[in-house]
Amino acid sequence: MTYIVKIIVGVVMEINLKNILLWLSFIIWFIYCIINAIYIIKRNNTLEVSYFEYLKKNFLQVFRLDKLILIIVFYLYTRLKNTTVNIYLFLIIMLYFLVNLFYEEKVNQKFNFKKDWFSLLIMILIFLIPIIYYLFKMNKVMTTYLMMLGIFYFEQILFLIPIFLRKLVKKK
């Protein structure tokens, strides 16, 4: 009888730990994306050329090889069909990039919230798409993670959306 109780307790603890780590990985991904979006906005405010020109000139900084390699490794691990391992791996990847974000050279300009709130709001709405997808399509962890990694990898390209919307609003 005690073995059955130990097994039940172990399963319940694993499920709770798995959910905690899942949501922790979502939170860390979201924090990374917001901090990086703020850095992108600050850099965009100091550019002497258009953002599109900046993307063309700095292609290797936009499509970073380290991000691509870790996304490919994560995708290969998704083939194992072990959700717990994928949650741990995604969490570790996001922790790595969050810590790495603070070592990168950044623009020493203050973030002007009054001026840049629209761009940040649009980016936050884009970042919320995978989390909302997960909430409404219960237990689609791998699809949600792949969406998050897509946004993670193409974040600088996705930043063209608020720029385009801002120009569209100014024309009217």
Side-chain angles (χ1 to χ4, degrees):
M1 186 66 159
T2 58
Y3 292 112
I4 295 173
V5 171
K6 286 182 181 179
I7 291 172
I8 292 171
V9 168
V11 169
V12 169
M13 287 178 62
E14 178 65 27
I15 291 172
N16 290 336
L17 181 62
K18 186 175 168 182
N19 286 334
I20 290 169
L21 291 176
L22 175 76
W23 284 102
L24 183 63
S25 68
F26 286 178
I27 291 168
I28 290 174
W29 172 82
F30 194 74
I31 290 170
Y32 169 85
C33 287
I34 289 176
I35 292 171
N36 199 36
I38 291 171
Y39 287 150
I40 291 170
I41 290 169
K42 288 178 7 180
R43 183 180 56 233
N44 189 26
N45 290 338
T46 62
L47 291 178
E48 296 174 4
V49 294
S50 71
Y51 189 69
F52 188 72
E53 290 294 320
Y54 169 80
L55 293 176
K56 285 196 304 190
K57 287 181 182 176
N58 297 302
F59 184 79
L60 292 176
Q61 290 178 334
V62 173
F63 297 107
R64 292 180 40 177
L65 190 58
D66 58 342
K67 282 185 177 182
L68 183 61
I69 289 171
L70 286 173
I71 289 171
I72 291 170
V73 167
F74 180 80
Y75 181 74
L76 292 174
Y77 268 92
T78 61
R79 302 291 111 213
L80 296 176
K81 307 263 188 245
N82 187 339
T83 307
T84 307
V85 170
N86 293 329
I87 291 171
Y88 287 129
L89 183 59
F90 186 83
L91 180 62
I92 290 169
I93 289 171
M94 287 299 109
L95 281 172
Y96 166 74
F97 280 109
L98 183 64
V99 170
N100 195 29
L101 191 63
F102 295 109
Y103 288 106
E104 293 179 9
E105 186 176 326
K106 300 297 176 200
V107 177
N108 290 332
Q109 179 182 347
K110 289 264 185 185
F111 181 72
N112 186 351
F113 187 78
K114 289 181 181 179
K115 178 183 173 193
D116 299 317
W117 69 270
F118 182 76
S119 298
L120 188 59
L121 176 67
I122 297 298
M123 293 306 290
I124 288 173
L125 292 174
I126 291 171
F127 301 151
L128 287 175
I129 291 170
I131 296 171
I132 292 170
Y133 172 82
Y134 177 77
L135 290 174
F136 288 108
K137 297 281 188 179
M138 296 304 250
N139 298 325
K140 296 284 185 178
V141 176
M142 289 308 104
T143 307
T144 305
Y145 276 161
L146 292 175
M147 287 172 61
M148 289 173 146
L149 288 173
I151 291 172
F152 168 73
Y153 190 69
F154 294 108
E155 183 177 10
Q156 293 194 32
I157 300 297
L158 290 172
F159 193 77
L160 289 170
I161 295 171
I163 292 173
F164 174 74
L165 290 175
R166 182 174 290 226
K167 287 181 181 179
L168 192 65
V169 169
K170 284 184 180 180
K171 284 184 181 178
K172 293 183 178 184

